[in-house]
Amino acid sequence: VDGGGVSDHVFALCHLLGFRFAPRIPNIAARRLHLFRGRYTERTQDGVLVRPAYELCALIQLRERLRAGDVWLTESRQYRAFDSYLLPEATFAAMRTRGLLPLAINGTAEAFLSQRRATLDTALMQVSDLARQGKLPQVRLDGSGLVISPLKAITPSVVEDLRRAAYNRLPRVKITDLLLEVDSWTGFTDCFTHRRSSRIADDKNALLTVILADGINLGLTRMADTCQGATLRQLAHLHDWHISETGYTEALGRLIEAHRTVPLAALWGDGTSSSSDGQQFLAGGRGAAISDINARNGSEPGVSFYTHVSDQYDPFATRVIAATAGEAPYVLDGLLYHATGVSIEEHYTDTGGASDHVFGLMPFFGYRFAPRLRDLKERKLHLLPGQIPGDLLGGMTGDPIAADHVAVHWNDVLRLTTSIRSGTVAASAMLRKLASYPRQNGLAVALREIGRIERSIFMLDWMRDLDLRRRTQAGLNKGEARNALARALFFNQLGELRDRRFENQAYRASGLNLLVAAIILWNTRYLQAAIQSLGIPDDLARHIAPLGWEHISLTGDYRWNVEEQPETGKLRPLRMPASLLAA
C-alpha cells in the first residue's frame, strides 16, 4: 500500500495473520525506530560498554543535531553552518553600533517585550469588556466558546448591472492589438535587451510573439505555426538572447507604474495593502511524483505560481514553487524583492501562508500581517509571563511566552532579519531552513516565540475589528479574481506545464503575469472612459474590477496590425450601448 494505508495496528495484525506488510512509507527518514527496552538502549552491561548500542545512540544524536543545525559539515550544501548564510558577525556589529540596521524594530529585547506587553494588555482588556457587553462585532465570546459569524456582503446589488454596462462599452480587441497598444503607452518591450550587447530587439513584433507564447502557454513551435511573419528559428533566437527574468521584472514594473497613474486605480485602494496566494498548474506527461501528496491539491504532479497582488489589482511579484511545498516561506519574498514602486504596509494571506515564523519576521520589516486563519477558535493565545487573560479568554490561552529565551537570542534575531533585508539571503531560504529543524535550535525557538506574540495580538484584533476582517476578505478576493483571469489566459496544452525545466516554468509564470498586468492596465484606462461616459459615481465604480476578458479575443491567428493602432495619446472609440444603436 501507499502511505495512506499505513498504521502500527495494521503492521501488528498483518504479522499475527501471517502476512508480510511492505508499504511505501513517505518521509521514512523522519520515522522513529522503536527498540526493546534494555537490549539496545543501554550503553553498559555489567559495567562493560556495549559497542553496537553506543554507536546507535551516538548516530541518533548526531542525526538530530545535524538536522537542528547544531552540527554542520563544512563542504555540504544541505548541512552547512547556519551562520554562513548570514551577514558576517563583524559587519552586523558595526552596522548596529552606527545605528544603520534597515529594520522597523532595532531596539533592545526589553523595549520590544515591554511595548508588546502593553499592546497585549490593552487588547485583552478591550476584548473582554466588549465580550461581556455583547458588543464584539459579529462575534460571540462566552463560556461556551468563540463563534465568529461569516461576513455579510456589502456590495450594492446594482453594481453587477453597472459592471456589465461598463464592459459593454469597451471596444472588442485582439490580444495582439492590446499588447501593441500597451507597449505604445509604456515601451515595456525595451526592457528585454540582448544578453550580450544590451541592445533592444530590432523586431518588436517578433519579441511580443515570444512573450505571448510564454504567457498563453502555447510554446514557440506552435506559435510559429499560428503567427505569420515569424519562423521558429527567429522566435527561438529571440527567446534565447532577449528573454530573461530581469527583463520580465523590469517590464512588469513599467506596467504597474503606468497603472498606478490612472485615476480609476486610486478608487480600488491606495497601494499600501496586498494579498498573496498560490495557483496550481498541473504538469502533464509522464513522470508523476511519487509519494508527494498535498492536502489541498492531491497527488497530481504540478507546480504553483505564487503571486502577490496589491489592492489596486497590480500583480507585482510572482514565482514558481512546488505544488507540494508550503506557501508560508515565500510570503516575504514577494514583499521584499519586487522591482516596483509599490510600498506595502498590510498583507493578507489564507491559512496556508501563515506560520509563527512569518508572524515573527513581519514586524521587523514594517509589515502588518493579517492572514485569514481557519479554525481561529482552536488556536491558542500566548501571553507574556504575569499577564492574566481573564475568565472569557482563559480557555483560549496556551503556554506563556519564553521571554527570557527571546532576550538571550535577540541579537541573533536582529542579525537574521538584517541579513534578509539587505539581500544577503532570501527570506524563503531562511524560513525553510528554520522550519526544517525537527529539533529546533535556539534562534528558531526565539523567532517562534516572537511570532506567537504577534499572532496573539492579531487574534485579539481580529475579534474586535470588523473592518480588519473585511479588508482581509476583500484583499484575498482580489487575488482570487486575478487567478481566474490567469487561468483563462493560460489555456493552451490544457493549461498544463509540459516542460519540467525550472527556468522555462519561471518564464511561463512571468509571461503570464506580464499579460495579466497588461490586460489590467488596458482595461483600467478604457473602463475609466466608459465609467465617465455612463456617469457612474465613485462609490459604485470602485466595485468594478479591471479583470474582465470577455471583450478580448484570445484565440485565432496572432497578427500584429501595427497600422490599425490608435493615434498617439488617443484611445479606441467606445462601443455604443444597444439601446442607443436601436434609437
Side-chain angles (χ1 to χ4, degrees):
V1 300
D2 59 12
V6 179
S7 74
D8 290 339
H9 289 162
V10 176
F11 266 108
L13 287 174
C14 284
H15 174 71
L16 293 174
L17 295 174
F19 302 119
R20 184 181 184 185
F21 190 40
R24 184 181 64 198
I25 302 178
N27 299 325
I28 193 170
R31 304 266 178 163
R32 298 291 185 182
L33 292 174
H34 298 277
L35 309 177
F36 287 100
R37 184 181 301 276
R39 177 71 183 275
Y40 300 101
T41 56
E42 295 292 339
R43 288 182 294 177
T44 62
Q45 186 175 4
D46 298 330
V48 179
L49 184 68
V50 180
R51 185 180 180 87
Y54 183 88
E55 290 177 351
L56 180 62
C57 292
L59 289 173
I60 289 174
Q61 290 300 315
L62 178 60
R63 182 190 65 177
E64 296 303 315
R65 295 295 182 92
L66 191 64
R67 289 179 175 178
D70 297 333
V71 177
W72 57 88
L73 302 176
T74 55
E75 301 298 329
S76 172
R77 294 179 59 187
Q78 183 176 1
Y79 297 111
R80 58 188 283 199
F82 186 85
D83 190 74
S84 65
Y85 292 95
L86 308 179
L87 279 171
E89 182 67 38
T91 303
F92 168 73
M95 293 176 64
R96 190 176 186 186
T97 301
R98 299 174 183 176
L100 299 178
L101 297 185
L103 303 175
I105 299 174
N106 53 22
T108 64
E110 290 73 17
F112 170 79
L113 293 173
S114 176
Q115 191 275 332
R116 290 302 190 262
R117 180 183 292 273
T119 302
L120 272 172
D121 285 337
T122 302
L124 288 168
M125 180 182 63
Q126 291 182 357
V127 170
S128 297
D129 291 345
L130 291 173
R132 292 191 189 95
Q133 301 171 26
K135 293 184 178 180
L136 285 175
Q138 298 186 25
V139 174
R140 189 183 79 243
L141 177 62
D142 51 29
S144 61
L146 173 68
V147 177
I148 300 179
S149 302
L151 294 175
K152 299 177 181 179
I154 60 173
T155 303
S157 57
V158 72
V159 167
E160 181 57 30
D161 293 333
L162 294 177
R163 189 201 76 84
R164 190 178 300 109
Y167 270 97
N168 284 340
R169 297 227 59 193
L170 266 58
R172 299 193 180 278
V173 64
K174 294 182 178 181
I175 185 64
T176 50
D177 293 334
L178 183 149
L179 289 176
L180 283 172
E181 195 167 356
V182 171
D183 185 45
S184 69
W185 299 339
T186 62
F188 72 87
T189 53
D190 294 342
C191 299
F192 296 91
T193 56
H194 195 277
R195 292 177 182 270
R196 180 178 298 172
S197 64
S198 299
R199 294 178 54 187
I200 62 176
D202 296 328
D203 190 343
K204 289 193 174 183
N205 292 348
L207 178 61
L208 286 171
T209 303
V210 172
I211 296 172
L212 184 61
D214 276 343
I216 63 175
N217 196 32
L218 185 57
L220 299 182
T221 302
R222 293 181 61 190
M223 179 59 80
D225 295 335
T226 58
C227 182
Q228 297 181 356
T231 63
L232 175 59
R233 181 177 181 179
Q234 182 184 8
L235 297 181
H237 182 270
L238 279 169
H239 197 284
D240 290 342
W241 288 101
H242 285 269
I243 298 299
S244 64
E245 277 302 309
T246 301
Y248 271 124
T249 301
E250 293 178 358
L252 180 65
R254 287 199 183 188
L255 296 186
I256 291 177
E257 290 306 309
H259 182 254
R260 295 176 64 197
T261 63
V262 182
L264 179 59
L267 297 181
W268 298 318
D270 57 5
T272 60
S273 65
S274 63
S275 66
S276 59
D277 191 19
Q279 183 176 19
Q280 189 197 26
F281 292 93
L282 297 178
R286 304 178 61 184
I290 298 177
S291 299
D292 283 343
I293 299 176
N294 182 281
R296 178 179 179 182
N297 301 319
S299 58
E300 291 294 327
V303 298
S304 182
F305 293 174
Y306 196 71
T307 306
H308 289 63
V309 181
S310 76
D311 54 10
Q312 295 180 338
Y313 293 97
D314 291 318
F316 60 89
T318 190
R319 67 170 299 167
V320 178
I321 64 175
T324 54
E327 297 177 351
Y330 302 94
V331 172
L332 272 167
D333 280 2
L335 296 174
L336 293 172
Y337 310 131
H338 64 87
T340 69
V342 177
S343 180
I344 302 300
E345 298 176 2
E346 188 171 74
H347 187 71
Y348 320 115
T349 69
D350 56 15
T351 304
S355 71
D356 286 340
H357 285 167
V358 176
F359 266 109
L361 285 177
M362 282 287 188
F364 287 92
F365 306 120
Y367 302 124
R368 183 182 186 186
F369 191 38
R372 183 180 60 193
L373 296 177
R374 183 174 55 249
D375 299 329
L376 186 71
K377 63 181 180 180
E378 298 179 4
R379 297 178 181 264
K380 297 295 185 181
L381 294 171
H382 298 274
L383 308 180
L384 290 162
Q387 288 187 307
I388 301 175
D391 297 336
L392 294 178
L393 293 171
M396 295 181 60
T397 305
D399 298 333
I401 299 297
D404 292 340
H405 187 86
V406 173
V408 169
H409 292 274
W410 183 252
N411 190 69
D412 296 332
V413 172
L414 291 181
R415 185 182 172 200
L416 169 66
T417 50
T418 301
S419 300
I420 293 174
R421 186 63 174 177
S422 61
T424 303
V425 64
S428 58
M430 287 294 93
L431 285 170
R432 291 199 309 269
K433 192 72 175 175
L434 293 172
S436 67
Y437 291 154
R439 179 180 179 273
Q440 292 180 321
N441 63 13
L443 175 58
V445 173
L447 189 60
R448 182 198 66 191
E449 295 299 293
I450 295 173
R452 285 179 171 180
I453 297 174
E454 300 300 322
R455 177 167 56 79
S456 299
I457 295 173
F458 164 74
M459 289 172 60
L460 294 170
D461 288 343
W462 189 266
M463 297 178 200
R464 61 178 173 166
D465 191 348
L466 180 62
D467 186 56
L468 173 62
R469 280 176 263 157
R470 291 195 181 280
R471 292 199 309 270
T472 300
Q473 186 65 44
L476 292 173
N477 287 344
K478 290 179 180 180
E480 292 170 359
R482 177 264 171 202
N483 288 348
L485 172 58
R487 181 70 68 183
L489 285 171
F490 208 72
F491 63 92
N492 284 290
Q493 302 186 72
L494 303 178
E496 297 179 350
L497 287 162
R498 303 297 175 85
D499 195 329
R500 299 299 181 89
R501 288 176 294 180
F502 177 80
E503 182 182 24
N504 285 344
Q505 290 178 351
Y507 287 154
R508 296 293 170 92
S510 298
L512 173 61
N513 202 43
L514 190 67
L515 287 189
V516 170
I519 290 175
I520 290 173
L521 172 58
W522 192 94
N523 280 349
T524 301
R525 292 196 65 174
Y526 279 91
L527 275 175
Q528 178 169 288
I531 288 171
Q532 290 175 350
S533 69
L534 294 171
I536 300 175
D538 290 349
D539 60 329
L540 297 176
R542 69 186 184 90
H543 295 287
I544 302 176
L547 299 172
W549 68 87
E550 59 272 12
H551 56 289
I552 303 173
S553 177
L554 301 175
T555 59
D557 291 336
Y558 298 106
R559 300 182 179 181
W560 305 96
N561 301 314
V562 179
E563 64 280 356
E564 297 181 8
Q565 293 299 303
E567 297 179 13
T568 303
K570 295 184 178 181
L571 300 179
R572 300 170 186 269
L574 299 176
R575 285 186 289 163
M576 295 298 294
S579 58
L580 294 180
L581 290 176

